[in-house]
Amino acid sequence: MPNIVIVGAQWGDEGKGKVVDLLTRKVQVVARYNGGHNAGHTVIVGDKKFIVHVIPSGILHPGILCVIGNGMVVNPSAFEKEKDELEALGVEVGESLVISDRVHLILPHHYALEALSEDARGANAIGTTLRGTGPAYEDKAGRRGLTMGDLLRPDALGDKLTEARRHYETICRGSGREPEVDWDQVVAELRAFGERHGSKIKDGSLVLSQQIAQGYSILFEGAQATLLDLDHGTYPFVTSSSATAGGVAVGTGVPPSRIDGVVGVAKAYCTRVGTGPFPSEADEAGVEILRGRGNEYGATTGRPRRCGWFDAVAARYATRVNGFDSLAITKLDVLDELDEIPVCTEYRYEGQTLGEFPADLAVLGACEPVYEGLAGWKSSTSGARDWADLPEAARRYIERLSELARVQVGLVSTGPDREQTIIRAGSALASWFA
Ligand code: IMP
């Protein structure tokens, strides 16, 4: 199989974990390129449920090499907790996991800084996951971050922390707070982590290029999603990394010329966690149905997700900025009981029709959705495995989403299990599965 990227087409939680898990059968390597343990990818295998946060979900398949790419940020203790939890469920996390030496660390002061920042924003808080992700990327861009590679040279750790510590203490003083971090303990814990996991810390780009040279295929597993991307999302209500397909080259050190295809993953409806505009957000009755049937609660934080209808304006935008070759539509069965399903085809703004997703949040926030009502199918699609098994109205629904989003639908997920999946014959996705 060629080297393929899996990207969320909406605001996250589209079910990327399942699609990555399915395609992992066809590759030898799975690499994550962005985010940290703010992400939560749920994969159901038989009667077991696995939630991975920083470890690529390929780890659930024995023999797959998993790479935590340089574009990620990792908190050492969260990593160890996740590793222990996976091992308790019988998943081996041994030498098949590589952590790029250029990965930046999430440290205790990042949690403190994030809480301060969210607090200071008051009503404008982003609604972050409070996992220290944003401040870790800020330290990276501020040229004061620590990397995994630094753990291989433990004697220099204290000095390397100087700038990050100075910055943190300046902010604490400015906001009248006492700094709370015990830096000696931080250094001791980082040294111990380096001793335990040093053998996993490698040049991620080199490892990946060697895999490609041997003819192996890589699946790039995106976290968060297009509309949460730092550059292309609904800024400032976004995450702090490059979640779109363009982030792969930067976040792994694999050049764009070696990336062969992009799969977008979208729910058959739409959800979002945290603050920010959401033009197709449903009314109370709609939210009740979607959240209830879709079990829309965050995998990382447990927060109830905001729910709404499929937004084709946003989907077209996601197709454009990621260059999707195929779209995977998940959770179709959540819509099974509806008489009619609204799909947002365009926005209305100050009396005008907008067909393209605006950058200006003041505009996006004032946009009214223009809905097309599509006929429901009022029967169960749960577990369907063949396109022909879907009721005609469900097929029409998917075809209409494809037309509006300007991308062919290659996969339809009809339940959480690996087997509850339809692969569309003739699609790019089907050719990669062959
Ligand atoms: P942060 O990534 O914790 O900084 O949060 C920034 C925004 O991204 C918030 O609205 C979060 O709810 C959202 N976010 C971060 N990670 C995820 C995810 O995995 N799924 C859905 N939303 C996320």
Side-chain angles (χ1 to χ4, degrees):
M1 194 175 97
N3 302 322
I4 304 297
V5 188
I6 310 286
V7 186
Q10 298 163 325
W11 276 284
D13 310 313
E14 296 93 347
K16 296 179 289 294
K18 169 173 168 175
V19 179
V20 170
D21 181 65
L22 278 170
L23 279 170
T24 298
R25 298 174 191 185
K26 298 288 170 187
V27 299
Q28 292 74 39
V29 186
V30 177
R32 273 269 307 267
Y33 58 92
N34 76 301
H37 65 305
N38 50 351
H41 293 171
T42 307
V43 183
I44 311 275
V45 185
D47 57 357
K48 280 193 183 163
K49 177 174 172 176
F50 301 88
I51 301 183
V52 286
H53 298 281
V54 284
I55 298 179
S57 39
I59 204 73
L60 305 177
H61 294 249
I64 295 283
L65 178 70
C66 289
V67 178
I68 295 183
N70 59 274
M72 293 185 66
V73 286
V74 174
N75 174 255
S77 43
F79 168 83
E80 285 196 316
K81 182 168 175 279
E82 183 174 335
K83 177 177 174 294
D84 291 348
E85 284 171 3
L86 284 172
E87 285 175 345
L89 287 168
V91 177
E92 204 189 318
V93 186
E95 295 307 309
S96 59
L97 180 69
V98 168
I99 307 176
S100 163
D101 51 6
R102 291 172 185 266
V103 159
H104 275 250
L105 301 179
I106 301 178
L107 297 175
H109 70 288
H110 293 133
Y111 291 83
L113 284 171
E114 186 163 7
L116 268 178
S117 153
E118 280 287 88
D119 214 29
R121 283 174 179 268
N124 294 324
I126 310 287
T128 71
T129 59
L130 295 174
R131 298 297 192 270
T133 322
Y137 281 114
E138 283 178 44
D139 271 0
K140 175 179 176 180
R143 276 67 55 87
R144 52 181 177 268
L146 251 69
T147 64
M148 280 286 172
D150 290 330
L151 306 188
L152 302 176
R153 292 169 293 281
D155 290 346
L157 275 176
D159 287 345
K160 291 231 162 177
L161 279 166
T162 308
E163 289 308 320
R165 178 177 178 173
R166 195 189 338 261
H167 177 73
Y168 164 64
E169 289 175 354
T170 305
I171 291 179
C172 286
R173 271 198 303 278
S175 56
R177 311 268 178 126
E178 270 303 301
E180 287 165 3
V181 175
D182 179 341
W183 295 95
D184 290 336
Q185 193 187 337
V186 170
V187 170
E189 285 177 6
L190 290 179
R191 283 196 175 133
F193 183 91
E195 274 165 31
R196 283 194 294 275
H197 301 291
S199 63
K200 297 186 185 67
I201 303 173
K202 295 179 186 163
D203 181 334
S205 159
L206 179 62
V207 169
L208 291 169
S209 72
Q210 288 165 341
Q211 295 291 312
I212 293 173
Q214 288 183 62
Y216 295 143
S217 293
I218 306 171
L219 196 61
F220 297 101
E221 178 179 17
Q224 288 85 42
T226 305
L227 301 176
L228 290 173
D229 180 278
L230 181 60
D231 286 77
H232 302 289
T234 49
Y235 189 90
F237 299 103
V238 291
T239 193
S240 25
S241 66
S242 297
T244 41
V248 170
V250 176
T252 60
V254 172
S257 54
R258 305 314 300 263
I259 300 166
D260 304 298
V262 184
V263 178
V265 186
K267 278 179 193 161
Y269 51 100
C270 205
T271 62
R272 140 159 240 185
V273 199
T275 337
F278 182 2
S280 66
E281 190 159 17
D283 62 13
E284 221 172 289
V287 171
E288 203 180 306
I289 295 169
L290 296 172
R291 188 181 290 148
R293 285 189 56 89
N295 189 26
E296 295 296 351
Y297 297 89
T300 299
T301 59
R303 289 184 287 180
R305 296 177 183 141
R306 296 161 68 193
C307 298
W309 308 111
F310 189 87
D311 182 341
V313 185
R316 273 197 293 280
Y317 175 65
T319 300
R320 165 155 57 90
V321 297
N322 292 291
F324 296 145
D325 296 292
S326 246
L327 191 65
I329 295 285
T330 62
K331 298 186 103 169
L332 180 70
D333 54 309
V334 170
L335 306 177
D336 281 352
E337 286 175 8
L338 292 165
D339 290 318
E340 190 181 80
I341 308 161
V343 170
C344 170
T345 54
E346 289 168 325
Y347 300 151
R348 185 100 60 218
Y349 174 70
E350 291 188 343
Q352 291 188 328
T353 301
L354 288 191
E356 298 294 336
F357 197 75
D360 185 338
L361 271 220
V363 176
L364 186 66
C367 281
E368 294 290 329
V370 177
Y371 286 121
E372 179 175 305
L374 297 184
W377 41 94
K378 304 281 284 174
S379 58
S380 174
T381 59
S382 178
R385 293 177 187 203
D386 271 311
W387 182 244
D389 292 345
L390 288 180
E392 200 191 328
R395 280 184 265 150
R396 270 206 307 270
Y397 182 76
I398 300 281
E399 294 290 26
R400 184 66 180 137
L401 300 194
S402 163
E403 192 175 74
L404 289 167
R406 298 189 189 133
V407 56
Q408 143 209 90
V409 171
L411 184 153
V412 181
S413 171
T414 55
D417 209 77
R418 282 175 180 166
E419 311 308 324
Q420 297 173 308
T421 310
I422 298 166
I423 309 282
R424 301 275 313 272
S427 65
L429 223 141
S431 73
W432 298 329
F433 260 104

